[in-house]
Amino acid sequence: MTDDELIWRIAGGSGDGIDSTSQNFAKALMRSGLNVFTHRHYPSRIRGGHTYVEIRAKDEPVKSRGDNYNFLLALGDSFARNPQEEAYYGNEEIKPLSENLDELREGGVIVYDSGLLDASEIENFDQRAEENDWHVYDLDLRGLAKEHGREVMRNTAGVGATAALLDMDLEHIEGLMEDAMSGDVLEANLQILEEAYESVNEDYEHTHDLRAPTGSADEEQVLVSGSHGIAYGALDEGCRFISGYPMTPWTDVYTIMTQHLPEMGGISEQVEDEIAAASLAIGASHAGAKAMSGSSGGGFALMSEPLGLAEITETPIVLVEAMRAGPSTGMPTKPEQGDLEHVLYTSQGDSNRVVFAPGDPAECYEQTRKAFEIAYEYQIPAIVLYDQKLSGGHQTVPEDVFDEEPNPDIGSVVTEQDLEEAVQEAGRFKRYMYDDEESGFGGVSRRSLPGQKGGNYLASGNEHNEVGHISEDPDNRTIQMNRRMAKLDAIRTELSEEADHQPVYGPEDADYGILSFGSTKGVIEEAVDQLNDEGHSVKAMNVSDIMPFPKDEVTAFLESVDESLVVEMNASAQFRRHIQGQLGRFGEKLYSLLKYDGNPFEPEEIVSGFESRLGEEADLSQYNVRIESATGD
Amino acid sequence: MSAFNAIGEEREIDRDEFTPEIEPQATWCPGCGDFGVLKALKQAMPEVGRNPEETLLVTGIGCSGKLSSYFRSYGFHSIHGRSLPVARAAKMANPDLEVIAAGGDGDGYGIGGNHFMHTARENHDMTYIVFDNEIFGLTKGQTSPTSPKGHKSKTQPHGSAKQPIRPLSLALTSGASYVARTAAVNPNQAKEILAEAMEHDGFAHVDFLTQCPTWNKDAKQYVPYIDVQDSDDYDFDITDRGEASEMMQEAENALYEGTVLTGRFYHDEDRPSYQQEKQATGDMPEEPLAERYFDDDYEWERSYDLLERHK
């Protein structure tokens, strides 16, 4: 918990511009050469209600939100005091200040808007400030904003005050404002920024030690979310068709794609429901486009039916599943990893799908590309599984991660020359051929596209023979099932041949392991560093290939350690069960660390969870986490 | 574009080309109205000059869904109620295809009702054939959305308490730009209407009355009525929504009273198709999307060029 880092929290009401202000401030920190990680906490509500965004900035790589924070900018919830008579807006005006105190570090800095907030309304505020050595600055940000522009610009005043208190140069912030606005609005904002900066420097004595860290990261960084990673990966794979229905947090990737597809000559369709959304992706792919769709928990449940259709018709599609806390509507704006089994097993019959779970925005990009490659080469649905944390959280990523060539390859499709020589039956192309030599590899039979001469066939959701006609012949059924099932093994082999497949983090010869999947990657890496610094011997593997499961890699990992903690954000240890189910052993070596309160893990929780497993003194009762043995107590 | 050169090939088309060389054994019952749809569709194809390889027939499931097995073209036998979303995306990805969707009354007006409404509203350039026999056939005779009120079945033993769906009015209200009803027992009219529907540049809905001799012998329209209906010229302005609506209601009321009125009920040739609308707003490329993947000269844009906004 050192202060070589800034963890800046801006708190206010939903709809008060917290998100855009924090985005700009995060960028300004990045432009000053720092690495940045953002965490967004918001209620399922459009306006009003306590919300905050945390920005962690450090000279070294930042992989998680960190433990607690050290700078609070409390703006007040302007929608809590809506003047409309008889409208109920609650009484939450004070929350941006009162709700955030528990996590503020000792010696931390508080700037609050005295134009909206009254600290004396908060029980024991002064006493707590004194005990924790907090440095409190009350500024009439609202008044300042009103004086020079409009009330909403109080965010800008807050940023100006922040810059003064942290000894930051205004240059990057001003530059961003000039990029984003113009005219009177820009003038007013610049003036407010300047005024706030000056008045803090002139009127307040700076009693705190906290200063913005100096950045030395090279400038070739970009600030992107996991949703950007997925959208950009899809675009670079030549995905030019997306269909969807809005649902938090899947909407992020859907809207990013929609912003760019028309100008790139692609098509985005908002449709009536998620059954339609996935079915449209199937239709577009069948006709020869690279297509994707997606949703979150409840919406993905509706896609169960078309998912099976894509599998049996062998139509390549990529679906995105952005997890949020369930069951049912659950907590729409909170992260959880509770849809793992849903994604693995949804749909009828012995169905196969490929599932990737990227751990950070860069992996979102890389694995979405991989998902398209595998889906189109093997004619199988591929799912990119991530969660609300990764969906909206932004992180600095080296720009060259995205410096890759596009791949418009449509996969295993026949040419018309092939069709001239292809085996036909009953006037139809043997699209679902099961002769390995003729059809290719790993269960894949090449497909033709509607419009290709000599390639007509029937893609059927019923079990079908080689030309696609419905068939209940037992021999055909067995062969077709075997052929479709063979794909997963072939994909597993192909993926395992990639360099650095399922990399291990930490010392290779460590005694203990931590296993995880998806968005917990960064926070676990930070915890591993901390544990090893403290003299433990720990390494971690964040598994990104969920299906087909990298059995050899995970087996080798588990064989090399005494025991392993499986860290995941759900209540029923779904990922641990998946490991046990896939490997059929290691129950005695696996312990779960579970968190499902709607907030992502912080490094400290993992460190404490790990230490408590080793019988060391660690108080888990202060956290919403639980340790569970794979074999029961 | 070598990938799709069957499209636009000009030649004489023979209806027999749409028959698979070895016909799979039809699972329809003897006397089933579905044979009439298949026959009419095969007869309509040469009239619109489409060959099997540029035609994509997307079906749902149930007896009607098997149409794609007995019709030789590119086919997609999808799932119950979902033929429309599959079909309309295929049309968007490759507008050069002749896209036909087909399903039953349960499929189209029940489980797929939502898709029907929205596909009609968007006015995709495609033909939608609904096999309307007022019954669930393949699941053995349950009440369907078009079964008359009072209809008794194993799932409604005391008689259905529901009013039937009014497919023609529903199509019109939803935004279909061509609405017609025909019947398996009237093959010449059926052929003409299907050909007209395919040539129509917009969403053409054809409510196709079919008889189910196994589960719904009592339905009124199964009495051969060619003699009953003298003509399908009802003397109203077919392009006027108000007049079309009145005529549709008359036909829909009459059906359950024993008079079967078939024919064309609405034809709006002026309304742009969804594809045209979407191209006009810049949301859809002029060239078929599907062809781009085979164009070696096409320059694919890179996400790298989008990074400016993230710096």
Side-chain angles (χ1 to χ4, degrees):
Chain A
M1 271 218 265
T2 51
D3 280 344
D4 57 352
E5 62 183 358
L6 169 68
I7 306 182
W8 184 78
R9 183 183 285 194
I10 178 172
S14 274
D16 273 340
I18 304 292
D19 201 39
S20 54
T21 305
S22 61
Q23 279 289 320
N24 274 331
F25 191 58
K27 259 192 204 175
L29 290 164
M30 176 180 74
R31 287 188 182 183
S32 77
L34 291 162
N35 296 292
V36 176
F37 187 100
T38 76
H39 164 66
R40 192 172 165 217
H41 173 104
Y42 63 111
S44 179
R45 175 173 164 173
I46 297 167
R47 300 205 142 187
H50 174 238
T51 175
Y52 70 76
V53 177
E54 224 171 69
I55 300 171
R56 185 175 179 210
K58 203 174 173 174
D59 190 28
E60 276 155 33
V62 276
K63 301 174 181 174
S64 79
R65 59 182 293 197
D67 291 306
N68 302 324
Y69 72 105
N70 54 19
F71 192 111
L72 173 65
L73 173 60
L75 291 172
D77 179 352
S78 71
F79 295 100
R81 53 172 183 94
N82 195 296
Q84 249 181 304
E85 272 184 47
E86 290 182 44
Y88 177 69
Y89 285 92
N91 184 22
E92 299 181 328
E93 191 169 341
I94 201 74
K95 275 191 170 180
L97 184 55
S98 63
E99 290 289 297
N100 293 297
L101 298 176
D102 288 347
E103 288 159 344
L104 182 62
R105 292 181 187 174
E106 247 181 61
V109 177
I110 298 174
V111 175
Y112 74 86
D113 185 354
S114 60
L116 272 167
L117 298 169
D118 183 358
S120 67
E121 283 179 25
I122 298 167
E123 218 178 314
N124 302 332
F125 180 74
D126 292 336
Q127 190 194 331
R128 289 183 73 179
E130 201 180 317
E131 280 169 9
N132 289 292
D133 186 26
W134 291 334
H135 303 266
V136 184
Y137 301 88
D138 59 324
L139 279 110
D140 183 7
L141 302 173
R142 181 187 172 209
L144 199 102
K146 265 172 129 174
E147 190 186 327
H148 297 282
R150 285 184 292 132
E151 184 178 336
V152 289
M153 297 175 182
R154 64 191 193 283
N155 297 2
T156 302
V159 171
T162 300
L165 290 168
L166 293 176
D167 223 358
M168 288 171 68
D169 207 325
L170 285 185
E171 173 198 8
H172 296 301
I173 301 165
E174 285 168 344
L176 278 158
M177 285 183 168
E178 280 156 13
D179 290 353
M181 38 191 140
S182 60
D184 293 347
V185 179
L186 173 65
E187 283 310 310
N189 271 290
L190 288 176
Q191 200 178 353
I192 291 167
L193 186 75
E194 187 88 7
E195 290 279 343
Y197 188 86
E198 296 296 332
S199 85
V200 170
N201 277 336
E202 282 164 21
D203 304 340
Y204 293 83
E205 190 192 340
H206 297 192
T207 57
H208 59 278
D209 298 328
L210 183 69
R211 294 290 179 270
T214 321
S216 63
D218 72 57
E219 283 175 44
E220 309 305 317
Q221 293 214 95
V222 287
L223 188 65
V224 290
S225 67
S227 295
H228 285 110
I230 290 175
Y232 292 175
L235 292 174
D236 282 350
E237 278 301 307
C239 172
R240 290 295 182 274
F241 188 97
I242 193 168
S243 44
Y245 186 87
M247 183 167 183
T248 306
W250 135 262
T251 314
D252 283 352
V253 70
Y254 178 42
T255 46
I256 297 167
M257 289 292 283
T258 306
Q259 269 169 19
H260 299 301
L261 276 176
E263 72 204 36
M264 289 186 165
I267 300 169
S268 170
E269 270 293 283
Q270 181 179 331
V271 295
E272 57 271 24
D273 59 34
E274 286 86 353
I275 307 177
S279 300
L280 261 91
I282 291 171
S285 176
H286 179 73
K290 284 186 152 182
M292 81 191 276
S293 184
S295 193
S296 293
F300 190 79
L302 294 187
M303 295 184 167
S304 173
E305 191 194 34
L307 181 70
L309 179 65
E311 290 175 41
I312 197 166
T313 58
E314 303 185 54
T315 312
I317 50 166
V318 173
L319 297 177
V320 173
E321 219 271 29
M323 294 182 280
R324 63 192 221 183
S328 192
T329 313
M331 297 197 285
T333 60
K334 305 292 177 207
E336 203 167 89
Q337 296 178 312
D339 294 348
L340 176 64
E341 289 181 342
H342 176 48
V343 163
L344 282 171
Y345 305 123
T346 189
S347 193
Q348 328 83 290
D350 292 311
S351 52
N352 300 298
R353 78 287 316 259
V354 175
V355 182
F356 292 109
D360 55 40
E363 284 192 357
C364 283
Y365 176 80
E366 287 151 8
Q367 285 169 27
T368 301
R369 296 202 64 159
K370 208 186 293 175
F372 270 94
E373 279 162 34
I374 296 291
Y376 278 80
E377 200 49 55
Y378 289 87
Q379 303 170 0
I380 189 170
I383 297 165
V384 180
L385 180 68
Y386 76 139
D387 61 48
Q388 187 272 347
K389 168 173 141 65
L390 199 46
S391 167
H394 285 64
Q395 202 174 333
T396 38
V397 177
E399 187 184 338
D400 60 17
V401 164
F402 300 91
D403 194 5
E404 299 287 334
E405 287 303 312
N407 173 29
D409 184 6
I410 199 87
S412 36
V413 172
V414 285
T415 63
E416 296 206 330
Q417 286 84 341
D418 295 334
L419 283 168
E420 279 170 21
E421 295 152 24
V423 189
Q424 304 254 343
E425 188 181 288
R428 291 193 135 155
F429 168 54
K430 283 194 170 185
R431 184 257 182 272
Y432 300 108
M433 179 97 110
Y434 38 69
D435 179 339
D436 239 16
E437 264 183 41
E438 276 287 341
S439 65
F441 54 95
V444 178
S445 55
R446 289 174 303 168
R447 63 181 180 135
S448 57
L449 300 174
Q452 278 184 313
K453 201 172 179 174
N456 85 80
Y457 73 99
L458 177 63
S460 181
N462 284 62
E463 187 58 273
H464 45 254
N465 63 18
E466 294 185 324
V467 297
H469 284 303
I470 299 172
S471 167
E472 295 185 350
D473 175 76
D475 292 337
N476 173 69
R477 162 69 175 177
T478 308
I479 292 167
Q480 291 289 1
M481 277 300 292
N482 289 347
R483 192 174 61 70
R484 290 193 297 265
M485 306 254 290
K487 292 181 184 180
L488 279 189
D489 279 331
I491 296 167
R492 194 192 328 265
T493 305
E494 183 180 327
L495 291 174
S496 71
E497 283 163 3
E498 284 181 7
D500 220 7
H501 183 237
Q502 310 300 312
V504 172
Y505 186 85
E508 215 168 284
D509 58 351
D511 298 335
Y512 294 94
I514 297 180
L515 279 165
S516 62
F517 78 103
S519 72
T520 44
K521 177 176 186 255
V523 68
I524 286 169
E525 289 182 0
E526 289 197 355
V528 164
D529 288 343
Q530 214 172 307
L531 285 164
N532 285 313
D533 286 349
E534 288 168 15
H536 295 290
S537 173
V538 199
K539 61 182 174 180
M541 180 186 272
N542 188 260
V543 182
S544 60
D545 298 1
I546 306 293
M547 185 65 84
F549 196 70
K551 291 181 182 175
D552 292 347
E553 290 84 345
V554 181
T555 297
F557 181 84
L558 282 170
E559 278 176 343
S560 74
V561 294
D562 293 345
E563 66 171 57
S564 182
L565 204 57
V566 184
V567 179
E568 54 188 311
M569 286 193 286
N570 63 58
S572 57
Q574 297 182 21
F575 184 55
R576 190 199 73 212
R577 282 210 297 270
H578 183 52
I579 297 170
Q580 286 177 271
Q582 287 289 316
L583 303 183
R585 52 190 279 226
F586 293 118
E588 74 292 350
K589 277 192 179 186
L590 297 173
Y591 292 85
S592 286
L593 178 66
L594 307 168
K595 183 177 183 184
Y596 43 94
D597 70 350
N599 290 308
F601 276 104
E602 294 178 21
E604 207 174 82
E605 292 169 327
I606 293 163
V607 169
S608 301
F610 183 87
E611 286 173 341
S612 83
R613 254 311 299 153
L614 295 182
E616 291 186 16
E617 212 174 294
D619 179 16
L620 287 187
S621 68
Q622 59 177 312
Y623 309 117
N624 286 326
V625 300
R626 183 158 64 80
I627 293 265
E628 187 183 278
S629 153
T631 50
D633 294 322
Chain B
M1 216 53 61
S2 71
F4 302 110
N5 67 4
I7 292 176
E9 193 183 17
E10 278 187 38
R11 59 179 178 80
E12 197 82 0
I13 314 283
D14 189 293
R15 54 169 285 203
D16 289 338
E17 291 181 40
F18 295 90
T19 305
E21 280 168 28
I22 302 166
E23 245 178 301
Q25 196 187 355
T27 54
W28 293 330
C29 305
C32 174
D34 294 2
F35 287 108
V37 184
L38 177 62
K39 191 176 169 195
L41 186 61
K42 283 182 188 172
Q43 284 179 332
M45 295 312 295
E47 307 233 334
V48 286
R50 287 297 204 171
N51 70 54
E53 281 148 344
E54 59 190 329
T55 305
L56 175 64
L57 174 62
V58 184
T59 55
I61 53 176
C63 294
S64 59
K66 293 181 177 173
L67 181 72
S68 50
S69 285
Y70 315 137
F71 183 81
R72 183 175 165 270
S73 70
Y74 276 94
F76 199 106
H77 182 209
S78 67
I79 37 182
H80 204 204
R82 317 300 170 206
S83 63
L84 287 174
V86 172
R88 71 198 207 213
K91 181 72 184 181
M92 293 172 87
N94 189 356
D96 288 347
L97 294 171
E98 181 66 46
V99 175
I100 305 161
D105 43 273
D107 187 298
Y109 307 142
I111 189 167
N114 195 20
H115 307 312
F116 176 48
M117 198 166 80
H118 287 276
T119 312
R121 158 170 99 103
E122 290 164 4
N123 199 32
H124 290 268
D125 179 16
M126 54 191 280
T127 300
Y128 184 37
I129 306 168
V130 181
F131 295 53
D132 186 359
N133 59 9
E134 300 178 13
I135 198 84
F136 280 132
L138 201 54
T139 49
K140 302 194 173 174
Q142 295 82 9
T143 305
S144 96
T146 50
S147 300
K149 192 175 176 201
H151 179 263
K152 287 186 181 175
S153 72
K154 281 180 200 161
T155 49
Q156 263 82 16
H158 305 295
S160 169
K162 300 176 193 182
Q163 286 288 345
I165 289 269
R166 304 169 81 89
L168 308 175
S169 303
L170 181 61
L172 181 76
T173 318
S174 302
S177 50
Y178 180 91
V179 185
R181 170 176 267 169
T182 187
V185 290
N186 197 347
N188 288 333
Q189 185 204 48
K191 177 195 79 175
E192 280 169 26
I193 282 184
L194 288 181
E196 198 173 88
M198 279 186 265
E199 275 164 357
H200 172 67
D201 192 12
F203 185 72
H205 170 236
V206 180
D207 186 60
F208 206 121
L209 300 174
T210 55
Q211 65 272 26
C212 179
T214 304
W215 297 111
N216 205 15
K217 286 196 188 76
D218 301 335
K220 297 285 184 291
Q221 71 262 35
Y222 308 143
V223 181
Y225 61 87
I226 303 170
D227 302 331
V228 182
Q229 188 184 339
D230 296 333
S231 126
D232 59 9
D233 179 9
Y234 301 111
D235 191 27
F236 70 102
D237 182 0
I238 197 168
T239 66
D240 184 279
R241 288 181 76 88
E243 289 188 34
S245 172
E246 267 180 47
M247 191 58 224
M248 284 176 187
Q249 288 185 36
E250 192 182 324
E252 282 165 337
N253 289 335
L255 182 66
Y256 297 103
E257 287 158 10
T259 312
V260 181
L261 301 178
T262 60
R264 299 141 178 93
F265 292 97
Y266 185 60
H267 196 175
D268 178 357
E269 289 179 274
D270 299 330
R271 188 179 162 197
S273 69
Y274 187 58
Q275 176 194 336
Q276 289 164 336
E277 300 267 24
K278 220 167 149 73
Q279 282 175 343
T281 58
D283 283 347
M284 192 170 162
E286 298 286 332
E287 295 296 310
L289 180 55
E291 283 189 1
R292 187 172 311 155
Y293 298 93
F294 298 89
D295 181 354
D296 293 338
D297 297 329
Y298 185 81
E299 263 194 53
W300 291 83
E301 282 181 66
R302 306 173 63 202
S303 75
Y304 191 69
D305 301 331
L306 303 171
L307 292 183
E308 213 46 50
R309 74 195 74 199
H310 302 292
K311 287 180 184 167

